[in-house]
Short mmCIF file of all heavy atoms in Angstrom, two decimals:
data_model
loop_
_atom_site.label_atom_id
_atom_site.label_comp_id
_atom_site.label_asym_id
_atom_site.label_seq_id
_atom_site.Cartn_x
_atom_site.Cartn_y
_atom_site.Cartn_z
N GLY A 378 -4.97 15.73 18.55
CA GLY A 378 -6.15 14.90 18.72
C GLY A 378 -6.61 14.28 17.40
O GLY A 378 -5.93 14.39 16.38
N THR A 379 -7.77 13.67 17.45
CA THR A 379 -8.39 13.00 16.30
C THR A 379 -7.37 12.08 15.62
O THR A 379 -7.25 12.05 14.40
CB THR A 379 -9.00 14.01 15.31
OG1 THR A 379 -9.68 15.04 16.04
CG2 THR A 379 -10.00 13.35 14.37
N VAL A 380 -6.60 11.36 16.44
CA VAL A 380 -5.65 10.39 15.91
C VAL A 380 -6.44 9.11 15.66
O VAL A 380 -6.59 8.28 16.54
CB VAL A 380 -4.48 10.14 16.89
CG1 VAL A 380 -3.41 9.27 16.22
CG2 VAL A 380 -3.89 11.46 17.37
N PHE A 381 -6.98 9.04 14.47
CA PHE A 381 -7.86 7.94 14.08
C PHE A 381 -7.23 7.16 12.94
O PHE A 381 -6.75 7.75 11.97
CB PHE A 381 -9.21 8.47 13.57
CG PHE A 381 -10.14 9.01 14.63
CD1 PHE A 381 -11.36 9.54 14.24
CD2 PHE A 381 -9.84 8.98 15.98
CE1 PHE A 381 -12.27 10.03 15.18
CE2 PHE A 381 -10.73 9.47 16.92
CZ PHE A 381 -11.95 9.99 16.53
N VAL A 382 -7.26 5.84 13.06
CA VAL A 382 -6.84 4.97 11.96
C VAL A 382 -7.98 3.98 11.72
O VAL A 382 -8.52 3.39 12.66
CB VAL A 382 -5.53 4.22 12.28
CG1 VAL A 382 -5.17 3.24 11.17
CG2 VAL A 382 -4.39 5.21 12.50
N HIS A 383 -8.37 3.83 10.47
CA HIS A 383 -9.44 2.91 10.10
C HIS A 383 -9.14 1.53 10.69
O HIS A 383 -7.99 1.06 10.62
CB HIS A 383 -9.54 2.83 8.57
CG HIS A 383 -10.73 2.09 8.08
ND1 HIS A 383 -10.83 0.72 8.15
CD2 HIS A 383 -11.88 2.53 7.53
CE1 HIS A 383 -11.98 0.35 7.66
NE2 HIS A 383 -12.65 1.42 7.27
N PRO A 384 -10.14 0.87 11.27
CA PRO A 384 -9.90 -0.44 11.90
C PRO A 384 -9.20 -1.47 11.00
O PRO A 384 -8.39 -2.26 11.49
CB PRO A 384 -11.31 -0.93 12.27
CG PRO A 384 -12.12 0.31 12.38
CD PRO A 384 -11.54 1.29 11.41
N ASP A 385 -9.46 -1.44 9.71
CA ASP A 385 -8.83 -2.39 8.79
C ASP A 385 -7.34 -2.11 8.57
O ASP A 385 -6.64 -2.94 7.99
CB ASP A 385 -9.53 -2.38 7.43
CG ASP A 385 -10.96 -2.88 7.49
OD1 ASP A 385 -11.34 -3.51 8.51
OD2 ASP A 385 -11.72 -2.63 6.53
N TYR A 386 -6.86 -0.95 9.01
CA TYR A 386 -5.48 -0.55 8.78
C TYR A 386 -4.70 -0.35 10.07
O TYR A 386 -3.55 0.13 10.04
CB TYR A 386 -5.44 0.74 7.95
CG TYR A 386 -5.98 0.57 6.55
CD1 TYR A 386 -7.34 0.71 6.29
CD2 TYR A 386 -5.13 0.25 5.49
CE1 TYR A 386 -7.84 0.55 5.00
CE2 TYR A 386 -5.62 0.09 4.20
CZ TYR A 386 -6.98 0.23 3.97
OH TYR A 386 -7.47 0.07 2.70
N GLN A 387 -5.29 -0.68 11.21
CA GLN A 387 -4.61 -0.48 12.49
C GLN A 387 -3.46 -1.47 12.66
O GLN A 387 -3.42 -2.51 12.01
CB GLN A 387 -5.61 -0.59 13.64
CG GLN A 387 -6.59 0.56 13.64
CD GLN A 387 -7.68 0.46 14.69
OE1 GLN A 387 -7.76 -0.49 15.45
NE2 GLN A 387 -8.53 1.47 14.73
N ASN A 388 -2.52 -1.10 13.52
CA ASN A 388 -1.33 -1.92 13.83
C ASN A 388 -0.40 -2.09 12.63
O ASN A 388 0.27 -3.12 12.49
CB ASN A 388 -1.74 -3.29 14.39
CG ASN A 388 -2.56 -3.14 15.66
OD1 ASN A 388 -2.18 -2.40 16.56
ND2 ASN A 388 -3.71 -3.79 15.70
N ARG A 389 -0.36 -1.07 11.77
CA ARG A 389 0.55 -1.09 10.61
C ARG A 389 1.50 0.11 10.64
O ARG A 389 2.18 0.37 9.65
CB ARG A 389 -0.24 -1.05 9.30
CG ARG A 389 -1.11 -2.26 9.07
CD ARG A 389 -1.69 -2.21 7.69
NE ARG A 389 -2.73 -3.19 7.49
CZ ARG A 389 -3.35 -3.36 6.35
NH1 ARG A 389 -3.06 -2.62 5.31
NH2 ARG A 389 -4.30 -4.27 6.25
N GLY A 390 1.50 0.88 11.73
CA GLY A 390 2.40 2.02 11.84
C GLY A 390 1.85 3.31 11.28
O GLY A 390 2.55 4.32 11.27
N ILE A 391 0.62 3.31 10.82
CA ILE A 391 0.03 4.52 10.23
C ILE A 391 -0.15 5.60 11.29
O ILE A 391 0.14 6.77 11.03
CB ILE A 391 -1.29 4.18 9.51
CG1 ILE A 391 -1.00 3.25 8.32
CG2 ILE A 391 -2.01 5.45 9.06
CD1 ILE A 391 -2.21 2.58 7.72
N GLY A 392 -0.60 5.22 12.46
CA GLY A 392 -0.75 6.19 13.55
C GLY A 392 0.58 6.84 13.90
O GLY A 392 0.66 8.05 14.11
N THR A 393 1.63 6.05 13.94
CA THR A 393 2.96 6.58 14.25
C THR A 393 3.40 7.57 13.17
O THR A 393 3.94 8.65 13.49
CB THR A 393 3.99 5.44 14.38
OG1 THR A 393 3.59 4.60 15.47
CG2 THR A 393 5.40 5.97 14.63
N LEU A 394 3.16 7.24 11.91
CA LEU A 394 3.50 8.16 10.82
C LEU A 394 2.73 9.47 10.95
O LEU A 394 3.28 10.56 10.72
CB LEU A 394 3.23 7.52 9.46
CG LEU A 394 4.13 6.35 9.07
CD1 LEU A 394 3.63 5.69 7.79
CD2 LEU A 394 5.57 6.82 8.91
N LEU A 395 1.45 9.38 11.31
CA LEU A 395 0.64 10.58 11.50
C LEU A 395 1.19 11.44 12.65
O LEU A 395 1.29 12.66 12.53
CB LEU A 395 -0.82 10.21 11.75
CG LEU A 395 -1.60 9.76 10.53
CD1 LEU A 395 -2.86 8.99 10.95
CD2 LEU A 395 -1.97 10.95 9.66
N VAL A 396 1.55 10.79 13.75
CA VAL A 396 2.10 11.54 14.91
C VAL A 396 3.41 12.20 14.51
O VAL A 396 3.65 13.38 14.82
CB VAL A 396 2.27 10.62 16.14
CG1 VAL A 396 3.03 11.34 17.24
CG2 VAL A 396 0.91 10.15 16.65
N GLN A 397 4.28 11.48 13.80
CA GLN A 397 5.55 12.08 13.36
C GLN A 397 5.29 13.29 12.46
O GLN A 397 5.97 14.32 12.59
CB GLN A 397 6.40 11.03 12.61
CG GLN A 397 6.95 9.97 13.52
CD GLN A 397 7.59 8.80 12.77
OE1 GLN A 397 7.28 8.54 11.61
NE2 GLN A 397 8.48 8.09 13.46
N LYS A 398 4.32 13.17 11.57
CA LYS A 398 3.99 14.27 10.65
C LYS A 398 3.50 15.51 11.41
O LYS A 398 3.92 16.63 11.13
CB LYS A 398 2.92 13.79 9.65
CG LYS A 398 2.53 14.81 8.61
CD LYS A 398 3.58 14.99 7.57
CE LYS A 398 3.08 15.80 6.40
NZ LYS A 398 4.15 16.14 5.47
N ILE A 399 2.64 15.30 12.41
CA ILE A 399 2.11 16.45 13.15
C ILE A 399 3.19 17.07 14.03
O ILE A 399 3.24 18.29 14.19
CB ILE A 399 0.82 16.08 13.93
CG1 ILE A 399 -0.09 17.31 14.13
CG2 ILE A 399 1.11 15.48 15.28
CD1 ILE A 399 -1.06 17.53 13.04
N LEU A 400 4.08 16.24 14.59
CA LEU A 400 5.17 16.79 15.40
C LEU A 400 6.10 17.65 14.55
O LEU A 400 6.50 18.74 14.96
CB LEU A 400 5.95 15.67 16.09
CG LEU A 400 5.22 14.90 17.19
CD1 LEU A 400 6.07 13.75 17.72
CD2 LEU A 400 4.79 15.82 18.32
N ARG A 401 6.41 17.18 13.33
CA ARG A 401 7.25 17.99 12.42
C ARG A 401 6.54 19.29 12.06
O ARG A 401 7.17 20.36 11.97
CB ARG A 401 7.59 17.19 11.16
CG ARG A 401 8.67 16.16 11.37
CD ARG A 401 9.25 15.62 10.07
NE ARG A 401 8.25 15.09 9.15
CZ ARG A 401 7.79 13.83 9.18
NH1 ARG A 401 8.24 12.97 10.06
NH2 ARG A 401 6.88 13.44 8.30
N THR A 402 5.24 19.22 11.85
CA THR A 402 4.45 20.42 11.52
C THR A 402 4.52 21.42 12.67
O THR A 402 4.75 22.62 12.43
CB THR A 402 2.98 20.04 11.23
OG1 THR A 402 2.96 19.11 10.15
CG2 THR A 402 2.16 21.26 10.88
N LEU A 403 4.33 20.96 13.89
CA LEU A 403 4.38 21.85 15.05
C LEU A 403 5.77 22.45 15.23
O LEU A 403 5.91 23.63 15.58
CB LEU A 403 3.94 21.10 16.31
CG LEU A 403 2.46 20.70 16.36
CD1 LEU A 403 2.20 19.78 17.54
CD2 LEU A 403 1.57 21.93 16.43
N GLU A 404 6.80 21.66 15.00
CA GLU A 404 8.18 22.17 15.11
C GLU A 404 8.43 23.26 14.08
O GLU A 404 9.02 24.29 14.40
CB GLU A 404 9.18 21.02 14.93
CG GLU A 404 9.21 20.08 16.11
CD GLU A 404 9.99 18.79 15.85
OE1 GLU A 404 10.77 18.73 14.87
OE2 GLU A 404 9.80 17.84 16.62
N LYS A 405 7.97 23.05 12.83
CA LYS A 405 8.14 24.07 11.78
C LYS A 405 7.42 25.36 12.15
O LYS A 405 7.83 26.44 11.74
CB LYS A 405 7.62 23.55 10.44
CG LYS A 405 8.52 22.54 9.79
CD LYS A 405 7.94 22.06 8.47
CE LYS A 405 8.78 20.95 7.89
NZ LYS A 405 8.15 20.31 6.74
N GLN A 406 6.32 25.23 12.89
CA GLN A 406 5.57 26.42 13.30
C GLN A 406 6.11 27.01 14.61
O GLN A 406 5.48 27.88 15.20
CB GLN A 406 4.09 26.07 13.42
CG GLN A 406 3.50 25.73 12.07
CD GLN A 406 2.03 25.40 12.14
OE1 GLN A 406 1.42 25.37 13.19
NE2 GLN A 406 1.45 25.17 10.98
N LYS A 407 7.26 26.50 15.05
CA LYS A 407 7.97 27.03 16.22
C LYS A 407 7.17 26.90 17.52
O LYS A 407 7.31 27.73 18.41
CB LYS A 407 8.39 28.49 16.00
CG LYS A 407 9.17 28.75 14.74
CD LYS A 407 10.59 28.28 14.88
CE LYS A 407 11.43 28.76 13.72
NZ LYS A 407 12.03 27.72 12.97
N LYS A 408 6.34 25.87 17.61
CA LYS A 408 5.63 25.61 18.86
C LYS A 408 6.63 25.04 19.86
O LYS A 408 7.55 24.29 19.49
CB LYS A 408 4.47 24.62 18.66
CG LYS A 408 3.41 25.13 17.70
CD LYS A 408 2.70 26.34 18.25
CE LYS A 408 1.60 26.80 17.31
NZ LYS A 408 1.02 28.06 17.71
N SER A 409 6.47 25.38 21.12
CA SER A 409 7.43 24.95 22.14
C SER A 409 7.03 23.63 22.81
O SER A 409 7.87 22.95 23.39
CB SER A 409 7.60 26.03 23.21
OG SER A 409 6.35 26.26 23.86
N SER A 410 5.75 23.30 22.71
CA SER A 410 5.27 22.07 23.37
C SER A 410 3.94 21.66 22.76
O SER A 410 3.35 22.38 21.96
CB SER A 410 5.12 22.30 24.88
OG SER A 410 4.21 23.35 25.13
N PHE A 411 3.48 20.49 23.16
CA PHE A 411 2.17 20.00 22.76
C PHE A 411 1.60 19.20 23.92
O PHE A 411 2.31 18.81 24.85
CB PHE A 411 2.26 19.13 21.50
CG PHE A 411 2.98 17.83 21.71
CD1 PHE A 411 2.29 16.66 22.04
CD2 PHE A 411 4.36 17.76 21.58
CE1 PHE A 411 2.96 15.46 22.24
CE2 PHE A 411 5.03 16.57 21.79
CZ PHE A 411 4.33 15.42 22.12
N CYS A 412 0.29 18.96 23.85
CA CYS A 412 -0.35 18.12 24.85
C CYS A 412 -1.33 17.19 24.14
O CYS A 412 -1.67 17.41 22.98
CB CYS A 412 -1.07 18.96 25.91
SG CYS A 412 -2.29 20.11 25.26
N LEU A 413 -1.71 16.15 24.81
CA LEU A 413 -2.75 15.27 24.32
C LEU A 413 -3.37 14.56 25.51
O LEU A 413 -2.78 14.51 26.59
CB LEU A 413 -2.24 14.26 23.29
CG LEU A 413 -1.26 13.21 23.77
CD1 LEU A 413 -1.81 11.83 23.43
CD2 LEU A 413 0.06 13.42 23.10
N ASP A 414 -4.57 14.06 25.31
CA ASP A 414 -5.26 13.35 26.39
C ASP A 414 -6.02 12.17 25.83
O ASP A 414 -6.22 12.07 24.62
CB ASP A 414 -6.19 14.29 27.16
CG ASP A 414 -7.40 14.75 26.37
OD1 ASP A 414 -7.40 14.69 25.12
OD2 ASP A 414 -8.38 15.19 26.99
N SER A 415 -6.38 11.27 26.72
CA SER A 415 -7.16 10.11 26.30
C SER A 415 -7.91 9.51 27.47
O SER A 415 -7.37 9.39 28.57
CB SER A 415 -6.25 9.04 25.68
OG SER A 415 -7.05 7.93 25.28
N GLY A 416 -9.14 9.12 27.18
CA GLY A 416 -9.94 8.37 28.13
C GLY A 416 -10.12 6.93 27.68
O GLY A 416 -10.71 6.13 28.39
N TYR A 417 -9.62 6.61 26.49
CA TYR A 417 -9.74 5.26 25.96
C TYR A 417 -8.58 4.40 26.45
O TYR A 417 -7.41 4.74 26.24
CB TYR A 417 -9.73 5.25 24.43
CG TYR A 417 -10.85 6.02 23.80
CD1 TYR A 417 -10.59 6.98 22.83
CD2 TYR A 417 -12.18 5.78 24.15
CE1 TYR A 417 -11.62 7.68 22.21
CE2 TYR A 417 -13.21 6.47 23.55
CZ TYR A 417 -12.93 7.42 22.59
OH TYR A 417 -13.94 8.11 21.99
N LYS A 418 -8.88 3.26 27.06
CA LYS A 418 -7.84 2.40 27.63
C LYS A 418 -6.85 1.91 26.57
O LYS A 418 -5.65 1.90 26.81
CB LYS A 418 -8.47 1.21 28.35
CG LYS A 418 -9.18 1.60 29.63
CD LYS A 418 -9.82 0.40 30.30
CE LYS A 418 -10.56 0.85 31.56
NZ LYS A 418 -11.16 -0.30 32.27
N GLN A 419 -7.35 1.52 25.40
CA GLN A 419 -6.46 1.01 24.36
C GLN A 419 -5.52 2.11 23.86
O GLN A 419 -4.34 1.86 23.63
CB GLN A 419 -7.25 0.42 23.20
CG GLN A 419 -7.96 -0.86 23.59
CD GLN A 419 -8.73 -1.49 22.44
OE1 GLN A 419 -8.82 -0.94 21.35
NE2 GLN A 419 -9.30 -2.65 22.68
N ALA A 420 -6.03 3.30 23.71
CA ALA A 420 -5.19 4.43 23.26
C ALA A 420 -4.19 4.80 24.35
O ALA A 420 -3.04 5.16 24.04
CB ALA A 420 -6.06 5.62 22.90
N GLN A 421 -4.59 4.73 25.60
CA GLN A 421 -3.69 5.06 26.69
C GLN A 421 -2.44 4.18 26.68
O GLN A 421 -1.33 4.65 26.94
CB GLN A 421 -4.41 4.96 28.04
CG GLN A 421 -5.46 6.03 28.23
CD GLN A 421 -6.36 5.78 29.43
OE1 GLN A 421 -6.36 4.72 30.04
NE2 GLN A 421 -7.15 6.80 29.77
#
Side-chain angles (χ1 to χ4, degrees):
T379 318
V380 188
F381 286 178
V382 175
H383 189 286
D385 294 345
Y386 294 87
Q387 292 175 359
N388 301 311
R389 295 187 192 183
I391 295 167
T393 298
L394 291 173
L395 285 161
V396 171
Q397 290 170 337
K398 182 74 169 172
I399 207 89
L400 291 176
R401 283 194 306 273
T402 301
L403 292 171
E404 289 169 16
K405 285 179 186 171
Q406 294 181 357
K407 307 284 190 239
K408 299 295 182 188
S409 61
S410 59
F411 67 93
C412 56
L413 67 125
D414 69 340
S415 180
Y417 299 128
K418 290 179 182 182
Q419 291 181 355
Q421 291 169 350

